[in-house]
Amino acid sequence: MSEYKFKYHPDPLKTGEFKNDQIMVCDCCGKQTDVYYTGPFYSIDNVDYLCPECISSGEAAKKFDGSFQDSESVDEVSDPAKLDELVHRTPGYCGWQQEYWLAHCDDYCAFLGYPTWDDLEKMGIDKEIEETYREDVCGIDFEDAREHIEVNGCYLFECLHCGKHFIYIDFDEICGILLELLGKINELERSVYERDCEMNTRIRKKELSADKIAEYSKNLWSDYREECKKIVEGRCTEKLLKKGYARSFSTTPMYGYIEDADDCRGTFFMETAKKAVVEFRFTNHSTVHFM
């Protein structure tokens, strides 16, 4: 393994993208190899195993017109040769959704593996990770990211020039975070609707004066906005908050459709380096996006 050096993925055996548990035949050169690659490879051909030599030489990417990393899911660097090396001659890594490769000091970082938060603490880089955390590519704030990392781990990178460490996360669990948020809004809408029904019942029974009706309605909307603000503040952008919230309620909550698990499936992906998207698809083929 020492004869194959990958600048941006220095130890693919350690990260698990290379295996050495049996002898396999490389789909590119047709030779037997005791070290083989099973990570992501994007090609129209069905490629199961590749030897390190065919990856490092670029022969595998050339023969199958493929790549080991999506060239659109990377940070920008000024030298296109570096992108070519990353995409065509570097073993990739396995993510929950679309893998994203970080860069620093105008060069791509080295991928180090899949640590948990405990691992980061043992390495002594947990404080550094908090400082270098990039919400622009991960899509959520650091506290939510840390909760995820504690259970599911993350993707760790190291700058080849200054030595700083960075993490990236992409995960199906972000759908769960959004669903939890929308669920809280649904619960609030239901409680407000019930209070409104109670008020209307008392109005029909002529139990409330005009002044009391106005006061009750004013307090209802005030409480609604205040409780909704507690739910969404810190979770939504200022731009989105300025558009308004808690402006209506009805028998069926605004996001009631997400509560039918059999009808709805959510997927998280980074549409661009700065735009995270959660897409909900339904059995009736309709689609809802949250960005």
Side-chain angles (χ1 to χ4, degrees), residues 222-256:
S222 177
D223 291 346
Y224 183 24
R225 293 190 182 95
E226 186 62 30
E227 291 302 312
C228 191
K229 181 179 180 181
K230 291 179 183 179
I231 294 173
V232 301
E233 201 168 38
R235 299 275 185 161
C236 299
T237 64
E238 287 299 320
K239 183 178 180 181
L240 186 60
L241 291 175
K242 287 179 181 178
K243 289 183 177 180
Y245 50 86
R247 293 183 293 187
S248 65
F249 57 85
S250 64
T251 308
T252 302
M254 182 182 298
Y255 305 111

Side-chain angles (χ1 to χ4, degrees), residues 8-261:
Y8 301 124
H9 198 154
D11 198 348
L13 265 176
K14 183 179 180 181
T15 62
E17 307 314 323
F18 279 2
K19 307 290 184 184
N20 62 351
D21 55 347
Q22 55 186 315
I23 303 296
M24 305 302 295
V25 175
C26 174
D27 290 326
C28 181
C29 64
K31 298 178 182 179
Q32 290 188 338
T33 176
D34 59 353
V35 177
Y36 58 96
Y37 176 69
T38 60
F41 183 64
Y42 304 98
S43 171
I44 61 173
D45 295 292
N46 185 19
V47 180
D48 295 318
Y49 307 107
L50 294 170
C51 70
E53 185 175 19
C54 286
I55 296 176
S56 64
S57 66
E59 283 301 312
K62 181 179 179 180
K63 179 175 181 177
F64 299 109
D65 192 23
S67 63
F68 298 93
Q69 171 67 33
D70 180 6
S71 61
E72 297 298 319
S73 298
V74 300
D75 281 344
E76 292 184 7
V77 299
S78 60
D79 186 354
K82 294 176 180 178
L83 177 61
D84 181 66
E85 180 175 356
L86 175 69
V87 171
H88 299 126
R89 300 191 301 280
T90 300
Y93 72 90
C94 295
W96 283 94
Q97 298 285 340
Q98 176 61 59
E99 297 81 12
Y100 190 88
W101 212 286
L102 302 177
H104 195 254
C105 294
D106 199 29
D107 198 358
Y108 293 108
C109 295
F111 176 70
L112 301 185
Y114 308 89
T116 62
W117 189 257
D118 284 342
D119 295 327
L120 297 176
E121 288 182 329
K122 291 175 182 177
M123 295 170 68
I125 60 173
D126 52 310
K127 299 297 184 183
E128 179 188 353
I129 290 300
E130 185 172 359
E131 294 175 357
T132 61
Y133 178 72
R134 292 180 54 187
E135 187 174 337
D136 63 322
V137 294
C138 293
I140 58 174
D141 63 39
F142 180 75
E143 290 305 316
D144 285 336
R146 176 172 173 170
E147 289 180 13
H148 166 77
I149 298 168
E150 288 176 348
V151 178
N152 300 287
C154 61
Y155 314 117
L156 179 62
F157 293 85
E158 181 181 26
C159 178
L160 294 172
H161 303 278
C162 70
K164 287 186 178 180
H165 292 88
F166 302 85
I167 61 167
Y168 174 66
I169 53 174
D170 71 331
F171 50 99
D172 288 337
E173 283 78 2
I174 198 170
C175 298
I177 293 173
L178 178 60
L179 289 173
E180 181 182 359
L181 177 66
L182 299 183
K184 289 179 179 179
I185 295 176
N186 284 345
E187 291 175 10
L188 176 60
E189 281 196 44
R190 287 193 179 95
S191 67
V192 172
Y193 178 74
E194 289 173 2
R195 286 177 60 184
D196 186 63
C197 288
E198 179 184 342
M199 180 182 71
N200 289 327
T201 298
R202 295 184 66 184
I203 291 173
R204 285 194 297 270
K205 292 181 179 181
K206 299 181 179 180
E207 296 177 356
L208 297 174
S209 65
D211 290 343
K212 287 293 183 181
I213 293 173
E215 180 183 358
Y216 193 104
S217 180
K218 180 180 178 181
N219 290 338
L220 177 64
W221 281 102
S222 177
D223 291 346
Y224 183 24
R225 293 190 182 95
E226 186 62 30
E227 291 302 312
C228 191
K229 181 179 180 181
K230 291 179 183 179
I231 294 173
V232 301
E233 201 168 38
R235 299 275 185 161
C236 299
T237 64
E238 287 299 320
K239 183 178 180 181
L240 186 60
L241 291 175
K242 287 179 181 178
K243 289 183 177 180
Y245 50 86
R247 293 183 293 187
S248 65
F249 57 85
S250 64
T251 308
T252 302
M254 182 182 298
Y255 305 111
Y257 55 81
I258 58 99
E259 296 173 347
D260 188 350

